Amino acid sequence: MIEVQDLTKRYGDFTAVKSLSFTVRPGEVLGLVGPNGAGKTSTLRCLSGIIPTNGGAVVIGGCDLARDPVGAKRQLAFFPDEPRLFDYLTVRQHLAFVARIYGIGGHEAAARPLLEEFEIADKADSLPAQLSRGMKQKLVIACGLLHSPRILFFDEPLTGLDPLGIRRMKDSIVRRAREGAAIVLSSHLLHLLEEVCSHVLILKQGEKIADGTLAEVVSRFSGGDANANLEEIFLRATGGSET
Amino acid sequence: MIAALAYLRLTSLGNRVASAVRRLREPKYLAGALAGVAYFYFFLFRPMGVARGPLLLGDPAGALRQSGAALAAAGSAILLGLFLGRQALAWITPADNPGLRFCEAEIAFLFPAPLTRRRLVHFNLLSAQATILLSSLILTVLSQRWRLLGGSPVARAVGWWVILSTLSLHSTAVGLVVARRSGPGFARVRAAALATIALLGAAVAWSVWRRAGTLEPMGPNPGLGALVAWVTELLDSGVLHWILWPFRWTVAPFLSADLRSFLLALGPALALPAALYAWIVRTEAPFEEGSIALSEKRAAARAARSSGSDYAASGPTRPRARREPFRLAGTGRPELAFLWKNLIAIQSWFNLRVVAAAVAMVAIVGAADLRPAAGSGRWEVIAAAVAVGSGIVAFYTVLIGPQLLRQDIRHDLQNADILKTYPLAGWQVILGEMLTPVAILSGILWLCLLCAAWAATRLGGPDFLGGAARPVVIVAAAAVVPPLSALQLVIPNAAALVFPAWFQAARTRGGSIELIGQRLIFAAGQWLAIALAVLPALILAPSFFVATQFWVGLFAPDPVAVAAAAVAGAAAALVILCGEVWVGVWWLGLRFEKLDLTSASR
């Protein structure tokens, strides 16, 4: 479970996230939506302990991220939009390294199905330079899932994936939510959010404009239009421009 | 088109200067610029102002008389060597040179534009002139110190321009011809070109060999005048005289002593570049694909550098998977995972070949530095060479090792986002990251100690280092090595974490004056901090050494007293160094946990 209370993030004089509060329960998938510069990535990076917050509290699976960052991080996985890999480790070595960091004994058994699920088993001895961007993205996801996290943060998870990869990724997210994971993902692909998210949070200039289940947010901004989709709702809620 | 090019270049230059000036509002750039200006002033330009008289030694008058001819011969020989070498390289490995190089923006805007290919060629040649003019200016300023040459700065500037333009045009011409490699008959052209180069090379070698045999040999310590005369005569005889003739024309304006000779030299000097220009314009080469491929490769390399990667994915040398240094189990101290990972990474350049080359180089330097006394035994000479070599290696390892071995958080700073999601305390990440350079530096220094110990055994030494004293002293010194290396590494890692924006600027390739200044400040700061950190151990360890000797043997030159004092001194140093390292790693861990690269880059 993810509990966020009054989360604030500032860069100098600029406030990227203002007093943001929300909760994601096991089995829920929360979609973070907003124009460029709305604070989506900053929020995700604060939630996963990558950057320090300037105020508020974040509780990950019962662990306060500020007081017990190691305990909180044991339960989460963060997937950045740009796959960051170690230049000189092969696919298999990446998994071995991550296994040692998380203390996973016999990690080969856990890694094999992940490699097969993401179709990179035949690239196990390849270096990142020999992988396409989509494959790198898949490797990052395989590494993140190796320790079976209960809380997942995805920043633009479909960037660089081919159509089949997109389909598999969506299925994977939905399946893990069904298995009890709490998931937060940010994306500009609103149709993806409509397909996989149970909840939506719309951000603009670092502030929450709306949140709730898809149906609740749609009904709030639809203006009586029963056929309004998330794209129309998003444009109405945010004005559709960059912040 | 010239108007468009002038607009592009001048506007770009103006914007670049304006942007650099705006950046000076930030203290870090201002400080860097001041340090950079001071560096250039004190180390490059100021010495020129105080230079007195010609820089020749020995017989200046005689040397001056001969210098013009000697420089012309030497300069033309260098140019010939560059021409032949470049030609040979281009024909032997005709791979990546498209002839004409365009940047990505130029490709995007100019290739689809309604311009003829010849106009594109002219655009490229004129663009190259911007760099050539700037380089000529810088070289003119730098070559002002060559008082021997005489002549005016204007003549020298034009001389540099002629030389650099000729080299640039030659490079373009060769590239364009080689770019036709996919065309019909290329194999024949290539074979003919290589045969011509080989023939020319053979003619030069034969001429030099034949003439050298007939020249009067120089004495064991020839004066500069004699050396100059010998080289001049060698290069000005036989076939070589005629082969070098066009290149003599090229360097003549640069070497002209007065206005008249300069004006006379200018006409012939332009003959070679004019011929190369005509060659380029008449060459119908498919440079577009090559230019695009090269531009993409350079963009990928630039992107890889800016993201902290060691290589571009599309670069010419793709890395291969490396052997694991040891098997990494899934459970155990997580810090060892960083050691494992970084040892794999470091194999890309720190491998047996590099170590063997370094050892060979050191052995040569060590042997060259030896002046064995008459009657020395062979083993003594070898031992002395080993001692000198290991001393050199140890000195440079301590001096620059921590700066060169960056396989720690400095190398992984671009992956900080990922590292911070790991369930590890900050100090664990820092400690794990530092293990690899500590292990390598310690290994090198231990090897040096071993070599020194062996050499000392062979060469003998004072009595108080006999018996058990020597191994004890060596072990005591070896024990201090790892914490000393770790402490040395704490400082540059701290610099990376405390000033990430500065660190990023310092590791960026580029030659702007503020970046050069930033690097200088960075290096000076690191050295000062290391000196201060080592100071307590440097004070306390000798104190303990002396106190123990006094207590054990009243300064008696006794092996037992020396051994006891060495242990006490090393123990004192160990306590201090380990304490400092622990505090440093713990504090760096806290800094790492609070690190926000996003803020630093804003």
Side-chain angles (χ1 to χ4, degrees), chain B residues 101-474:
Chain B
R101 296 181 177 206
F102 293 89
C103 72
E104 291 150 276
E106 286 168 348
I107 287 170
F109 283 95
L110 298 180
F111 280 27
L115 297 171
T116 60
R117 297 179 86 243
R118 183 167 286 199
R119 286 203 158 207
L120 283 177
V121 172
H122 280 121
F123 178 90
N124 192 275
L125 296 181
L126 285 170
S127 292
Q129 281 300 317
T131 313
I132 290 171
L133 285 171
L134 186 66
S135 305
S136 303
L137 198 66
I138 292 169
L139 287 170
T140 303
V141 173
L142 290 175
S143 57
Q144 276 298 94
R145 66 168 74 182
W146 303 347
R147 297 291 174 94
L148 166 70
L149 299 174
S152 73
V154 176
R156 196 145 317 132
V158 175
W160 276 122
W161 174 79
V162 170
I163 292 169
L164 295 179
S165 295
T166 307
L167 284 171
S168 169
L169 285 166
H170 178 250
S171 173
T172 305
V174 172
L176 278 177
V177 175
V178 175
R180 292 191 300 191
R181 58 186 169 275
S182 56
F186 178 76
R188 269 202 316 276
V189 174
R190 186 184 178 200
L194 282 172
T196 311
I197 293 165
L199 204 65
L200 265 175
V204 169
W206 178 75
S207 177
V208 168
W209 178 77
R210 192 163 168 269
R211 186 64 186 144
T214 58
L215 279 175
E216 198 174 312
M218 285 183 291
N221 291 306
L224 190 64
L227 186 71
V228 165
W230 195 84
V231 171
T232 312
E233 211 169 335
L234 186 72
L235 296 176
D236 200 19
S237 55
V239 187
L240 203 52
H241 173 79
W242 297 107
I243 294 175
L244 288 177
W245 196 249
F247 302 102
R248 280 179 205 278
W249 287 350
T250 308
V251 297
F254 179 76
L255 297 170
S256 55
D258 50 51
L259 181 64
R260 186 175 166 278
S261 58
F262 169 71
L263 291 175
L264 284 174
L266 204 54
L270 294 175
L272 190 54
L276 288 167
Y277 166 76
W279 182 13
I280 290 167
V281 171
R282 290 172 62 86
T283 303
E284 285 292 330
F287 58 82
E288 289 88 346
E289 291 88 349
S291 296
I292 292 169
L294 184 70
S295 152
E296 284 171 353
K297 194 177 285 182
R298 284 155 72 192
R302 208 167 42 243
R305 275 203 304 274
S306 66
S307 70
S309 180
D310 286 345
Y311 58 88
S314 58
T317 52
R318 284 192 167 197
R320 286 173 302 159
R322 305 280 169 177
R323 215 177 30 233
E324 295 173 18
F326 54 87
R327 191 179 173 278
L328 187 70
T331 51
R333 295 294 311 178
E335 294 88 346
L336 288 180
F338 291 94
L339 174 68
W340 178 84
K341 169 180 84 67
N342 291 340
L343 281 175
I344 291 174
I346 213 156
Q347 287 171 46
S348 63
W349 61 273
F350 190 78
N351 48 36
L352 270 179
R353 241 179 327 180
V354 172
V355 172
V359 167
M361 210 163 66
V362 166
I364 291 166
V365 171
D369 199 46
L370 280 175
R371 296 183 194 285
S376 310
R378 186 181 295 166
W379 277 110
E380 276 66 32
V381 173
I382 292 171
V386 168
V388 172
S390 54
I392 293 169
V393 173
F395 176 74
Y396 280 105
T397 303
V398 171
L399 191 72
I400 55 172
Q403 314 299 325
L404 295 180
L405 276 171
R406 300 161 72 97
Q407 220 65 32
D408 45 32
I409 195 65
R410 289 171 288 174
H411 186 261
D412 257 348
L413 207 56
Q414 82 274 9
N415 288 323
D417 280 9
I418 296 299
L419 301 181
K420 290 184 82 176
T421 62
Y422 293 154
L424 302 174
W427 67 264
Q428 288 180 290
V429 175
I430 298 299
L431 181 64
E433 290 280 14
M434 278 174 44
L435 284 178
T436 299
V438 168
I440 291 173
L441 289 176
S442 301
I444 294 171
L445 289 173
W446 281 340
L447 198 65
C448 292
L449 270 174
L450 264 178
C451 290
W454 175 81
T457 314
R458 278 277 162 192
L459 294 170
D463 291 339
F464 61 85
L465 274 178
R470 185 172 291 142
V472 171
V473 168
I474 287 164

